Amino acid sequence: MTEPFHITVIAKQPVAGKVKTSLVPPLSHEQAAQIAAACLHDTFAAVSAVCTAHDDVRAVALIDGAAGLWIPADYDVHHQRGNGLGERLSNGFADLGPGLVIGMDTPSSGKHLEAALEALRSGNDAMGMTHDGGCWGIALASAEPAAFDNVPMSTDHTGQAQLDQLQRLGRQVTLLPTVHDLDHFEDIAPIVADLPGSHLASVAGSLFNRRWG
């Protein structure tokens, strides 16, 4: 029997002063942490919904920080290993096997998780880009130790560099739709517009006393 695929959220514990510091200013560290937690809530919910619908998919949280109530009870919890994001992603796939790893701050990617699973089941890798040149998710259909070698992380060309690396390795890659990444204050509005009625929309509205989206 084959092992189930995983959909993994790679995440940092949403502690004030430790997450989304790029939102400060105009936000306080406490507000930035609330926004990060809201993104996580919506991302976890999207992953849980997909995993509930498929017996061969499990939900995983690959975390930096202490496990706790911020992680849903239906998630397997693994801790990140490595010094940089590329190494942590590589180690994560080594530990978890074939599946999809997504970021914690692209909650509108949830509507594209099924497409990533479809690619995996066909034997393809998959990637989703962000509008700022990054990457919201990467799926590997089989082990590839060199998948993240020499890929610059957290730049405006990380997504293209990652795609180039997979293609250099002869991997077949399905491109998923591009979404917004929450790195700056002005990113909140377009993400909320993509997710009307979301937890992020509610938190942003209550924090700033305005309607978002």
Side-chain angles (χ1 to χ4, degrees), residues 89-171:
L89 286 167
S90 182
N91 289 336
F93 277 107
D95 292 343
L96 299 169
L100 169 67
V101 175
I102 65 174
M104 63 179 280
D105 50 7
T106 54
S108 53
S109 66
K111 65 189 75 173
H112 308 305
L113 301 182
E114 291 280 1
L117 287 177
E118 184 177 340
L120 287 170
R121 291 195 175 99
S122 70
N124 286 358
D125 297 341
M127 275 191 60
M129 307 285 196
T130 56
H131 286 293
D132 62 2
C135 177
W136 63 258
I138 181 166
L140 297 181
S142 60
E144 180 49 78
F148 303 97
D149 286 359
N150 302 313
V151 176
M153 296 291 165
S154 303
T155 74
D156 61 2
H157 58 280
T158 293
Q160 187 61 53
Q162 182 65 74
L163 177 61
D164 291 344
Q165 174 66 1
L166 292 176
Q167 292 178 333
R168 274 193 296 270
L169 294 167
R171 315 279 293 190

Side-chain angles (χ1 to χ4, degrees), residues 144-211:
E144 180 49 78
F148 303 97
D149 286 359
N150 302 313
V151 176
M153 296 291 165
S154 303
T155 74
D156 61 2
H157 58 280
T158 293
Q160 187 61 53
Q162 182 65 74
L163 177 61
D164 291 344
Q165 174 66 1
L166 292 176
Q167 292 178 333
R168 274 193 296 270
L169 294 167
R171 315 279 293 190
Q172 296 297 311
V173 184
T174 298
L175 287 179
L176 304 170
T178 300
V179 305
H180 290 279
D181 183 11
L182 206 164
D183 279 331
H184 304 287
F185 180 78
E186 56 268 25
D187 296 325
I188 297 173
I191 294 176
V192 168
D194 285 340
L195 289 173
S198 64
H199 190 61
L200 176 62
S202 176
V203 168
S206 64
L207 281 177
F208 313 122
N209 194 29
R210 58 180 279 195
R211 182 170 179 168

Side-chain angles (χ1 to χ4, degrees), residues 23-139:
L23 302 180
V24 181
L27 304 189
S28 68
H29 285 294
E30 291 75 16
Q31 289 174 324
Q34 289 180 64
I35 292 294
C39 282
L40 267 171
H41 180 281
D42 290 329
T43 301
F44 282 143
V47 172
S48 292
V50 172
C51 292
T52 298
H54 296 277
D55 292 338
D56 63 340
V57 185
R58 63 190 178 110
V60 178
L62 184 61
I63 67 168
D64 177 8
L69 295 178
W70 62 281
I71 305 171
D74 58 336
Y75 273 66
D76 294 338
V77 177
H78 291 257
H79 289 271
Q80 296 173 28
R81 299 188 295 112
N83 294 320
L85 180 56
E87 189 173 333
R88 292 179 180 216
L89 286 167
S90 182
N91 289 336
F93 277 107
D95 292 343
L96 299 169
L100 169 67
V101 175
I102 65 174
M104 63 179 280
D105 50 7
T106 54
S108 53
S109 66
K111 65 189 75 173
H112 308 305
L113 301 182
E114 291 280 1
L117 287 177
E118 184 177 340
L120 287 170
R121 291 195 175 99
S122 70
N124 286 358
D125 297 341
M127 275 191 60
M129 307 285 196
T130 56
H131 286 293
D132 62 2
C135 177
W136 63 258
I138 181 166

